[in-house]
Amino acid sequence: MNIQGASKQTGLPAKTIRYYEDIGLIQPDRAANGYRHFNTRDLHNLTFLARARALGFTIEDCRALLGLYEDESRASAEVKTIAQKHLQAIEEKIRDLQTMRETLSELVTSCHGDNRPDCPILSDLGGASQD
Amino acid sequence: MNIQGASKQTGLPAKTIRYYEDIGLIQPDRAANGYRHFNTRDLHNLTFLARARALGFTIEDCRALLGLYEDESRASAEVKTIAQKHLQAIEEKIRDLQTMRETLSELVTSCHGDNRPDCPILSDLGGASQD
DNA sequence: CCTTGACCTTCCTGTAACTGGAAGGCCTAT
DNA sequence: ATAGGCCTTCCAGTTACAGGAAGGTCAAGG
């Protein structure tokens, strides 16, 4: 299967697939004319990568996970450790964003948003204490 | 005030301050020896930028907001529009992360995490249907 | 006067994970 | 022969800086 086919089947852009080969995540064969040829295992691995990336794992996490995926003698504890760390990172990011959201939401609500220049958003950003 | 002073006062690393000058967000004067000199207005603007960045605004949003901050004849509606768009983006990111968190959390819980190789996390990433 | 250490400067490179685009080869159909 | 739709590689750009090298400046101490 050529790269467009692999792209359609996995949902990954062809550019991304080439990039994954570049950085050594997959090693598709080449046809005589130089075209990449994706076999079942390649397609499996690409699907795996697509799912892992969709869950927010970094490329390096994906590399490790894919290695474990292909290693029949892995210990599931290794997988769990990676996933747990990532889960904690996600939870921290959510907390950060929620803090931002609360502040921003208050500011947006308090701004009348008309032609007049006075604006609590700018006042707050400028360092004024709010009350 | 020199760059270290500005850094301490605003909480921004000196590198970041130089970068902000590079991209035209601030224009501190220069002393005869070439050192940057930060006046009150520069420090105000840097504080503004630090606060805006802490709320997750992009640099380009910051540029726009700073322009409005310094424009006495602004309309607060312009500020509110930028802030609202950003708020929506944050809310979308939170939703995305929460979706990831739920999936990941289920997977982590379901993985026993020991020496055995079988692992629901890898099964799921590999495309197995979960139940 | 010289040195030392703490400043300061500019410039170059690297980060994460791709995306866009140029230049050119291959393949199939008309 | 040519047109189109594939495919290839390579180079540059994205975001918001951080790290580090090479070198100038300044105040204090010997």
Side-chain angles (χ1 to χ4, degrees):
Chain A
M1 176 174 286
N2 284 347
I3 200 166
Q4 283 300 323
S7 169
K8 272 166 197 156
Q9 188 163 329
T10 62
L12 292 169
K15 278 272 186 188
T16 300
I17 296 175
R18 289 195 196 97
Y19 174 67
Y20 287 171
E21 186 191 12
D22 248 34
I23 63 174
L25 285 180
I26 53 169
Q27 292 98 30
D29 290 341
R30 296 297 179 121
N33 58 11
Y35 288 16
R36 288 169 184 82
H37 176 75
F38 297 85
N39 60 29
T40 307
R41 180 187 156 206
D42 295 325
L43 294 171
H44 243 91
N45 285 356
L46 284 174
T47 303
F48 182 97
L49 290 168
R51 297 259 308 137
R53 290 289 299 133
L55 286 179
F57 284 104
T58 64
I59 288 287
E60 288 316 309
D61 277 350
C62 288
R63 192 189 301 278
L65 290 171
L66 192 56
L68 292 166
Y69 182 59
E70 297 220 292
D71 174 8
E72 296 287 330
S73 71
R74 69 193 163 240
S76 64
E78 277 196 69
V79 182
K80 187 166 182 170
T81 299
I82 295 174
Q84 260 173 338
K85 269 191 194 155
H86 179 46
L87 180 55
Q88 283 169 18
I90 285 180
E91 283 170 348
E92 191 178 338
K93 235 180 200 172
I94 290 176
R95 280 194 300 275
D96 289 351
L97 287 171
Q98 280 173 340
T99 304
M100 290 182 196
R101 176 177 60 183
E102 279 165 38
T103 305
L104 252 178
S105 164
E106 280 174 27
L107 290 176
V108 164
T109 302
S110 67
C111 174
H112 36 61
D114 56 18
N115 281 332
R116 287 171 298 173
D118 56 304
C119 172
I121 300 173
L122 294 181
S123 306
D124 182 276
L125 290 175
S129 62
Q130 204 189 8
D131 58 325
Chain B
M1 174 173 286
N2 284 347
I3 199 166
Q4 282 299 325
S7 170
K8 273 167 196 155
Q9 189 164 328
T10 62
L12 291 169
K15 278 273 184 186
T16 300
I17 296 175
R18 288 195 195 96
Y19 174 67
Y20 288 172
E21 186 191 13
D22 247 33
I23 63 173
L25 285 180
I26 53 169
Q27 292 98 33
D29 289 343
R30 296 296 179 121
N33 58 12
Y35 287 18
R36 289 171 183 82
H37 176 75
F38 297 86
N39 61 28
T40 307
R41 181 189 156 204
D42 294 325
L43 293 171
H44 242 91
N45 286 356
L46 283 174
T47 303
F48 183 96
L49 289 168
R51 297 259 308 137
R53 290 288 300 133
L55 286 178
F57 284 104
T58 64
I59 289 286
E60 287 316 308
D61 276 351
C62 288
R63 192 190 300 279
L65 289 170
L66 191 57
L68 292 166
Y69 182 59
E70 298 220 291
D71 174 9
E72 297 287 330
S73 71
R74 70 193 162 240
S76 64
E78 276 196 70
V79 181
K80 188 166 182 171
T81 299
I82 295 173
Q84 261 174 337
K85 268 190 194 153
H86 180 46
L87 180 54
Q88 284 168 18
I90 283 180
E91 284 171 346
E92 191 179 337
K93 235 180 199 170
I94 290 176
R95 280 193 301 274
D96 289 351
L97 286 171
Q98 281 172 339
T99 303
M100 290 181 197
R101 177 178 59 183
E102 280 165 37
T103 304
L104 252 178
S105 164
E106 280 172 29
L107 290 175
V108 165
T109 303
S110 67
C111 176
H112 36 62
D114 56 18
N115 281 332
R116 287 170 297 172
D118 57 303
C119 172
I121 300 173
L122 294 181
S123 306
D124 183 277
L125 290 175
S129 61
Q130 206 190 7
D131 58 323

